[in-house]
């Protein structure tokens, strides 16, 4: 009597060495595990794509710092001064287009307009994030300077423009350094860095007019060393 197929298959399996059987089983398990692992990795990657870091201030703390650090009175005063500077120096720069006789003064006016336009946008953004109230008017003294420039023409305007603005920039330049050195707020640090670059540029173009008088520099020195 001939053995049936099942009997022959069982006999063949008994003749296969155990090591070969174990190797085959391990290979089969590895093939099954690969798609599962790929699926898990793909899911993890997609979860990472859908995760975004919380925006500054989005933790619900409502502290007005935007998550950038504490805001001191010095920080607030700095934002106010930057805002007020733009409110009168941009109009002064525009006056240089029509009232100045010197091309160097007109060039300085363009620098004032461009620089303070960028700073003004930044100060409004930072003030909103940090919950700082900023003014919509220049100070009474700054408004008086603009009126004096409106009433001047030619060489008189050039001299007034160069000296009043160089004195103003010199004083706030020192303030920027103090704020940058002491602030613990990341947004204020960034703002101080930008303001420092802008004010330095403005001082240089004003000095390039050749009209800044020694008395103006003495005034700045006295103001910043008090």
């Amino acid at each position: 009597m001939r053995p049936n197929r099942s009997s022959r298959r069982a006999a063949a399996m008994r003749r296969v060495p155990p090591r070969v059987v174990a190797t085959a089983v391990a290979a089969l398990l590895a093939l099954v595990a690969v798609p599962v692992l790929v699926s898990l990795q793909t899911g993890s990657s997609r979860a990472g794509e859908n995760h975004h870091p919380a925006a500054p201030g989005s933790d619900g703390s409502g502290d007005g710092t935007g998550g950038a650090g504490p805001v001191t009175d010095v920080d607030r005063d700095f934002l106010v001064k930057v805002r007020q500077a733009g409110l009168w120096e941009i109009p002064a720069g525009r006056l240089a287009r029509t009232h100045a006789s010197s091309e160097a003064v007109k060039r300085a006016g363009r620098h004032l307009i461009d620089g303070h336009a960028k700073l003004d946008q930044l100060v409004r953004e930072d003030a909103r994030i940090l919950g700082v109230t900023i003014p919509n008017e220049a100070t009474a003294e700054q408004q008086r300077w603009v009126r004096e420039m409106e009433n001047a023409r030619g060489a008189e305007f050039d001299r007034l423009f160069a000296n009043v603005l160089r004195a103003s920039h010199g004083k706030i330049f020192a303030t920027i350094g103090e704020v940058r050195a002491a602030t613990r707020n990341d947004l204020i640090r960034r703002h101080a860095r930008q303001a420092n670059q802008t004010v330095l540029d403005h001082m240089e173009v004003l000095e390039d007019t050749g009209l800044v008088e020694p008395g103006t520099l003495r005034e700045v020195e006295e103001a910043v060393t008090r």
Side-chain angles (χ1 to χ4, degrees), residues 135-194:
N136 290 318
E137 285 187 350
T139 67
E141 182 180 39
Q142 291 165 342
Q143 293 179 41
R144 176 173 58 79
W145 290 336
V146 173
R147 287 195 299 271
E148 290 176 357
M149 291 181 197
E150 288 173 341
N151 294 325
R153 295 289 189 283
E156 180 187 1
F157 175 89
D158 295 346
R159 184 195 60 77
L160 181 64
F161 179 92
N163 286 278
V164 170
L165 284 159
R166 176 57 180 82
S168 176
H169 279 80
K171 293 170 186 175
I172 198 170
F173 190 68
T175 300
I176 293 168
E178 294 173 358
V179 171
R180 177 60 185 84
T183 187
R184 291 177 289 162
N185 187 281
D186 292 338
L187 287 179
I188 296 295
R189 288 192 189 102
R190 178 195 65 168
H191 200 119
R193 181 170 61 250
Q194 182 63 46

Side-chain angles (χ1 to χ4, degrees), residues 6-223:
S6 297
S7 298
R8 290 199 300 272
R9 188 179 299 113
M13 287 296 293
R14 283 196 294 272
R15 290 196 295 272
V16 177
R19 182 178 297 178
V20 174
V21 174
T23 302
V25 171
L28 180 61
L29 290 174
L31 288 174
V32 172
V34 166
V36 174
L37 179 60
V38 170
S39 176
L40 289 173
Q41 289 177 335
T42 302
S44 175
S45 174
R46 287 174 180 169
E49 289 174 359
N50 293 329
H51 174 72
H52 299 283
S58 63
D59 59 355
S61 61
D63 60 1
T65 67
V71 183
T72 66
D73 289 342
V74 173
D75 295 336
R76 293 186 182 90
D77 187 56
F78 168 66
L79 293 179
V80 168
K81 286 182 177 178
V82 172
R83 170 66 168 164
Q84 288 174 326
L87 288 171
W88 81 275
E89 291 179 23
I90 291 176
R94 290 173 180 154
L95 284 172
R97 295 173 176 172
T98 55
H99 289 46
S101 60
S102 165
E103 287 302 319
V105 170
K106 292 179 181 179
R107 175 173 174 266
R110 290 193 295 271
H111 277 243
L112 261 65
I113 294 170
D114 293 343
H116 281 289
K118 293 173 183 175
L119 276 184
D120 192 65
Q121 179 179 354
L122 185 62
V123 77
R124 285 184 282 111
E125 291 174 357
D126 287 351
R128 176 181 54 79
I129 293 170
L130 299 176
V132 176
T133 301
I134 53 176
N136 290 318
E137 285 187 350
T139 67
E141 182 180 39
Q142 291 165 342
Q143 293 179 41
R144 176 173 58 79
W145 290 336
V146 173
R147 287 195 299 271
E148 290 176 357
M149 291 181 197
E150 288 173 341
N151 294 325
R153 295 289 189 283
E156 180 187 1
F157 175 89
D158 295 346
R159 184 195 60 77
L160 181 64
F161 179 92
N163 286 278
V164 170
L165 284 159
R166 176 57 180 82
S168 176
H169 279 80
K171 293 170 186 175
I172 198 170
F173 190 68
T175 300
I176 293 168
E178 294 173 358
V179 171
R180 177 60 185 84
T183 187
R184 291 177 289 162
N185 187 281
D186 292 338
L187 287 179
I188 296 295
R189 288 192 189 102
R190 178 195 65 168
H191 200 119
R193 181 170 61 250
Q194 182 63 46
N196 182 79
Q197 295 170 352
T198 301
V199 173
L200 179 60
D201 171 71
H202 292 176
M203 288 196 301
E204 289 177 345
V205 293
L206 288 164
E207 290 162 2
D208 288 345
T209 65
L211 298 172
V212 177
E213 299 167 353
T216 297
L217 301 180
R218 285 195 298 271
E219 176 190 340
V220 174
E221 180 182 11
E222 292 172 0

